[in-house]
């Protein structure tokens, strides 16, 4: 029994270290990357700041998906970095899309999410994922989690955790983003 407990503790430490370092999936070669699942909201009621999106609408852009929920302080403390990143790389082909997956019941109400989107100054599209359908489809586990999607709609890198301009996670995400923006559109 001690051996099992020690093994479980070791696994928990490794997972914790990976999450705190932020890289859940380092930048993958195109051939090894999987396609991002289709967005699960197809009606206007499921989106804020946008009409419903499909991956075909985003072909040719590099997309940063941001899984967040408005009561998550790690999420909203990452917004200054995220908005600056969006402004800096938008003209090079970056699109940011928020996926709001609620943790608490009051976060499921559209009006509350709209109010917080306005309060945080988010202007990019936000898909409401109140039933966690997209969370499950992509296999997400954490708030916030950032998915880098290439111009062909493939998941190329995944990062988790609060992110600030200049920190190690931001530097890694931005290096991967620049690499994806430099790739030819195929």
């Amino acid at each position: 029994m001690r051996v099992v407990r020690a093994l479980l503790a070791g696994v928990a430490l490794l997972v914790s270290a990976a999450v705190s370092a932020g890289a859940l999936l380092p930048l993958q070669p195109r051939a090894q990357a999987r396609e991002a699942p289709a967005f699960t909201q197809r009606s206007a009621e499921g989106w804020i700041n946008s009409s419903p999106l499909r991956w075909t609408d985003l072909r040719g852009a590099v997309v940063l998906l941001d899984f967040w929920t408005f009561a998550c302080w790690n999420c909203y403390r990452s917004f200054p970095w995220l908005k600056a990143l969006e402004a800096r790389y938008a003209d090079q082909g970056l699109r940011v899309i928020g996926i709001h997956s609620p943790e608490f019941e009051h976060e499921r109400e559209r009006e509350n999410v709209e109010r917080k989107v306005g309060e945080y100054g988010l202007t990019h599209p936000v898909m409401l994922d109140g039933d966690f359908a997209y969370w499950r489809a992509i296999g997400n586990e954490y708030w916030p989690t950032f998915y880098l999607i290439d111009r062909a709609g493939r998941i190329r890198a995944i990062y988790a955790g609060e992110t600030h301009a200049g920190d190690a996670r931001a530097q890694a995400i931005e290096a991967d983003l620049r690499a994806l923006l430099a790739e030819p559109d195929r």
Side-chain angles (χ1 to χ4, degrees):
M1 190 60 147
R2 274 189 200 156
V3 171
V4 171
R5 283 188 195 143
L7 284 172
L8 289 175
V11 168
L13 277 173
L14 286 173
V15 169
S16 176
V19 170
S20 65
L24 297 176
L25 178 71
L27 191 62
Q28 297 294 294
R30 290 179 195 201
Q32 294 176 5
R34 66 181 170 104
E35 270 193 51
F39 294 117
T40 54
Q41 290 293 334
R42 293 181 178 89
S43 70
E45 294 78 34
W47 289 84
I48 297 171
N49 294 337
S50 176
S51 57
L53 293 173
R54 299 173 309 211
W55 283 108
T56 55
D57 302 327
L58 299 164
R59 292 284 184 211
V62 173
V63 176
L64 179 66
L65 290 180
D66 171 27
F67 276 82
W68 66 285
T69 189
F70 71 71
C72 166
W73 59 278
N74 296 112
C75 298
Y76 62 74
R77 288 178 17 172
S78 298
F79 289 153
W81 164 77
L82 184 65
K83 291 188 303 184
L85 183 79
E86 184 176 17
R88 195 164 53 252
Y89 292 102
D91 64 344
Q92 296 176 44
L94 173 65
R95 294 282 309 268
V96 173
I97 299 175
I99 308 295
H100 186 270
S101 302
E103 182 175 13
F104 303 110
E105 197 59 38
H106 70 283
E107 293 174 299
R108 294 181 190 284
E109 296 175 28
R110 179 186 174 89
E111 298 77 29
N112 292 340
V113 181
E114 286 176 328
R115 188 174 65 255
K116 289 297 187 175
V117 164
E119 181 181 314
Y120 297 139
L122 304 178
T123 58
H124 56 261
V126 175
M127 187 182 81
L128 302 175
D129 189 32
D131 61 359
F132 282 76
Y134 201 68
W135 176 286
R136 286 189 304 275
I138 207 165
N140 195 49
E141 296 182 40
Y142 310 101
W143 294 283
T145 301
F146 305 100
Y147 289 77
L148 276 174
I149 314 294
D150 70 14
R151 295 179 191 276
R154 294 174 298 227
I155 300 168
R156 298 286 294 279
I158 305 170
Y159 287 87
E162 184 176 326
T163 306
H164 300 276
D167 71 16
R169 184 175 302 110
Q171 291 174 13
I173 292 170
E174 291 179 41
D176 288 346
L177 172 61
R178 285 190 299 275
L180 292 182
L181 289 169
E183 286 184 352
D185 186 8
R186 289 190 205 170

